[in-house]
Amino acid sequence: MEYSVKSGSPEKQRTAALVVGIHERRKMTPAARALDAATGGAIAQVLRRGDMDGKPGTTLLLHQPSGIFAQRILLVGCGKERDFDEGRYRQAIETAARELDQRGAIDAVSYLTELRVKGRDIGWMVRQHVEVTEATRYRFDRMKSEVEPPAHPLKRLVLSVPSRADIGTGERAIEEGLAIAEGVTVARDLGNLPGNVCTPRYLAEQAQALAKKSRKVKVTVLDETQMEKEGMGALLAVARGTHEPARLIVMEYQGAGKEEKPIALVGKGVTFDSGGISIKPSQAMDEMKFDMCGAASVIGTFHAAIRLQLPINLLGVIPATENLPGGSAIKPGDIVKSLSGQTIEILNTDAEGRLILCDALTYAGRWEPEAIVDIATLTGACVIALGNHAAGLLTNTQALGNELLAAGRQAYDRAWELPLWDEYQKQLDSNFADMANVGGREAGTITAACFLSRFVKNRRWAHLDIAGVAWKQGKEKGATGRPVPLLVQFLLNRVEKKREA
Ligand code: BES
Ligand code: MN
Ligand code: ZN
């Protein structure tokens, strides 16, 4: 869809639909008031008659209002004015986007951007409008044999800004919003594809496609023989249980000078996690096709970085494999040697994410990155701790952690920190190897991060456990594309800081 920004009063707009907010109870927003005045009280009338009282999630469409140029007015319930916040704003946008796609309008002008969310400026309002509209319109139907496209999809959306002076900010916000939306869409598609399509080789092809898109991108893919040569014993241990060949995908984006150290993004790419010999219960096991959403977020973030031409260097490393219980699969008690030289006693083959990530983290270290951020659907314990709202964040460098937490708040793709204290490390003690791959029931998210921390000593590193946020369950089952917005915001902030320096 096409987006643009414009300043001007609603009663003057020539459009198929004007979108304006109504607060509970029947409280008009400024745009609604202006339209009410121009239409001789048409809005006040429907409110008075009780057809709309502004409850969140509700809408009312007025047709052919007299006194103005627009064909329709879409009233969108925004809830109580005092309670209006980021979540409510996003809900109002989503409600409007759904409604507009089911009506005849092919273009619209939205005044939802004029609503007040504490601490958020017009750039933020515009960017979120783009991101949420794109996310709402997302469909994953490429695996269905028949799809009915919407009869009259919206084609152009104009977002209102307060004055001409805000046009530049607004246009920048649209660019960023569209880049993030593209990254999110890519990540959602990869996540939603089934395990028999989205294999390690498929992920590698998708990464390689990036190199075709931009001359600034270089992609290298290691196969199992090459990984063997390097000594990636932990990653290869997981790959033993399946016939599907593993891959280590390396993506380099050079947006800045060669001498500048890259930011490394390392994404868990388990394209299906059965648990291996420590097999999972069959309940909801299909959702383990989403166990590559960390990898998908790295590829999605690269898409956004390329689109925005960020003046920064990026390294993406994706260890990709299935975790299956084949005849050659690793068994509880097996001991393997990681690329770092450290040995690992595998007490639970379902703790495979850390096994592939540890070798990827060691490998990423060869680039001497400025910072390493890994993104992984790593522990069910993180879902228990934080639910679906926040990713877990653990770090060995508080300043880096703070940057990521702030980026998450800015992008409304939030993370929450858990401690990485030394005391937890001893849960990984093993009688037979340098460490065990599991640390018992207690503090599962923390001990998983403790394990990873042993492979990034002397580096600035942060870990995002996205097990709770990467996909939705139930009727809305599907990948969310998180934490692409957080990661892109983190990079945008880095660019901004560089510019100031
Ligand atoms: N991919 C899972 C984590 C997961 C489970 C994410 C459920 C989302 C929902 C990971 O590989 C795993 O199986 N982790 C184990 C670790 C345990 C064996 C220490 C877990 O969380 O149960
Ligand atoms: Mn597992
Ligand atoms: Zn897993």
Side-chain angles (χ1 to χ4, degrees), residues 129-271:
H129 207 314
V130 174
E131 287 180 44
V132 175
T133 304
E134 290 294 297
T136 305
R137 294 163 57 91
Y138 174 85
R139 296 281 175 280
F140 183 78
D141 40 28
R142 68 164 102 159
M143 306 301 286
K144 300 205 181 199
S145 47
E146 253 174 81
V147 280
E148 204 179 320
H152 308 278
L154 194 66
K155 290 216 170 74
R156 284 181 305 277
L157 182 59
V158 181
L159 304 174
S160 164
V161 294
S163 78
R164 296 256 299 273
D166 300 309
I167 298 278
T169 305
E171 284 174 346
R172 179 84 204 135
I174 288 176
E175 284 316 307
E176 289 180 5
L178 283 173
I180 291 168
E182 179 185 327
V184 165
T185 300
V186 165
R188 291 176 82 176
D189 279 347
L190 289 171
N192 288 333
L193 280 169
N196 62 331
V197 174
C198 184
T199 58
R201 284 178 288 175
Y202 183 88
L203 279 179
E205 279 168 26
Q206 296 312 299
Q208 273 156 340
L210 281 169
K212 297 229 168 66
K213 229 174 96 150
S214 164
R215 286 179 32 237
K216 294 182 178 158
V217 178
K218 191 179 131 200
V219 175
T220 336
V221 177
L222 273 61
D223 62 19
E224 290 186 4
T225 318
Q226 291 165 303
M227 288 190 257
E228 192 88 55
K229 259 194 215 128
E230 296 286 352
M232 301 184 178
L235 200 172
L236 287 169
V238 177
R240 291 177 61 93
T242 174
H243 294 300
E244 194 60 50
R247 293 287 183 262
L248 184 80
I249 307 163
V250 180
M251 305 147 65
E252 293 166 87
Y253 166 81
Q254 201 192 329
K258 268 210 158 57
E259 68 294 345
E260 231 181 87
K261 291 179 175 175
I263 302 282
L265 303 176
V266 177
K268 172 177 174 183
V270 173
T271 57

Side-chain angles (χ1 to χ4, degrees), residues 382-420:
C382 193
V383 193
I384 302 301
L386 298 172
N388 310 121
H389 304 294
L393 176 132
L394 299 102
T395 183
N396 64 9
T397 308
Q398 196 56 49
L400 174 64
N402 291 347
E403 276 183 62
L404 291 159
L405 292 169
R409 285 190 297 268
Q410 278 172 277
Y412 206 66
D413 178 12
R414 294 167 294 182
W416 195 259
E417 188 171 7
L418 297 172
L420 191 70

Side-chain angles (χ1 to χ4, degrees), residues 310-312 489-500:
L310 295 183
I312 200 169
Q489 186 68 56
F490 166 68
L491 298 177
L492 283 168
N493 292 351
R494 285 239 155 189
V495 168
E496 190 56 34
K497 239 186 291 169
K498 247 175 68 177
R499 223 194 311 270
E500 282 165 8

Side-chain angles (χ1 to χ4, degrees), residues 19-339:
V19 182
V20 302
I22 299 291
H23 282 297
E24 214 173 327
R25 311 192 35 195
R26 309 182 199 162
K27 184 158 188 306
M28 285 188 245
T29 54
R33 245 178 283 128
L35 289 172
D36 188 55
T39 55
I43 296 179
Q45 193 175 58
V46 297
L47 297 182
R48 209 179 322 110
R49 288 180 179 164
D51 289 41
M52 163 82 164
D53 78 348
K55 281 211 168 53
T58 64
T59 59
L60 185 74
L61 192 68
L62 306 185
H63 269 280
Q64 214 57 55
S66 63
I68 62 171
F69 302 108
Q71 294 169 353
R72 304 169 183 79
I73 301 175
L74 178 64
L75 303 179
V76 180
C78 294
K80 298 210 178 74
E81 194 170 8
R82 313 186 30 186
D83 301 344
F84 196 69
D85 61 4
E86 289 88 349
R88 280 286 151 81
Y89 178 50
R90 291 171 61 100
Q91 187 186 6
I93 299 165
E94 189 179 321
T95 305
R98 271 190 219 295
E99 191 63 23
L100 285 171
D101 263 342
Q102 283 160 33
R103 304 292 154 205
I106 61 158
D107 73 317
V109 185
S110 173
Y111 284 82
L112 295 177
T113 45
E114 72 172 10
L115 298 171
R116 290 261 173 278
V117 179
K118 209 174 136 209
R120 307 296 192 176
D121 59 15
I122 185 65
W124 190 89
M125 299 300 277
V126 169
R127 196 178 102 181
Q128 287 281 319
H129 207 314
V130 174
E131 287 180 44
V132 175
T133 304
E134 290 294 297
T136 305
R137 294 163 57 91
Y138 174 85
R139 296 281 175 280
F140 183 78
D141 40 28
R142 68 164 102 159
M143 306 301 286
K144 300 205 181 199
S145 47
E146 253 174 81
V147 280
E148 204 179 320
H152 308 278
L154 194 66
K155 290 216 170 74
R156 284 181 305 277
L157 182 59
V158 181
L159 304 174
S160 164
V161 294
S163 78
R164 296 256 299 273
D166 300 309
I167 298 278
T169 305
E171 284 174 346
R172 179 84 204 135
I174 288 176
E175 284 316 307
E176 289 180 5
L178 283 173
I180 291 168
E182 179 185 327
V184 165
T185 300
V186 165
R188 291 176 82 176
D189 279 347
L190 289 171
N192 288 333
L193 280 169
N196 62 331
V197 174
C198 184
T199 58
R201 284 178 288 175
Y202 183 88
L203 279 179
E205 279 168 26
Q206 296 312 299
Q208 273 156 340
L210 281 169
K212 297 229 168 66
K213 229 174 96 150
S214 164
R215 286 179 32 237
K216 294 182 178 158
V217 178
K218 191 179 131 200
V219 175
T220 336
V221 177
L222 273 61
D223 62 19
E224 290 186 4
T225 318
Q226 291 165 303
M227 288 190 257
E228 192 88 55
K229 259 194 215 128
E230 296 286 352
M232 301 184 178
L235 200 172
L236 287 169
V238 177
R240 291 177 61 93
T242 174
H243 294 300
E244 194 60 50
R247 293 287 183 262
L248 184 80
I249 307 163
V250 180
M251 305 147 65
E252 293 166 87
Y253 166 81
Q254 201 192 329
K258 268 210 158 57
E259 68 294 345
E260 231 181 87
K261 291 179 175 175
I263 302 282
L265 303 176
V266 177
K268 172 177 174 183
V270 173
T271 57
F272 187 77
D273 180 12
S274 73
I277 295 297
S278 314
I279 199 160
K280 289 181 179 294
S282 49
Q283 169 81 277
M285 207 206 267
D286 66 291
E287 292 179 18
M288 283 299 116
K289 71 171 182 178
F290 295 120
D291 211 18
M292 34 56 68
C293 283
S297 76
V298 174
I299 297 177
T301 300
F302 268 68
H303 273 263
I306 292 167
R307 181 159 178 159
L308 292 170
Q309 293 284 296
L310 295 183
I312 200 169
N313 292 338
L314 285 179
L315 169 69
V317 179
I318 295 172
T321 180
E322 283 184 342
N323 184 23
L324 289 190
S328 311
I330 40 164
K331 309 167 291 299
D334 284 1
I335 295 178
V336 299
K337 190 170 188 167
S338 67
L339 178 61

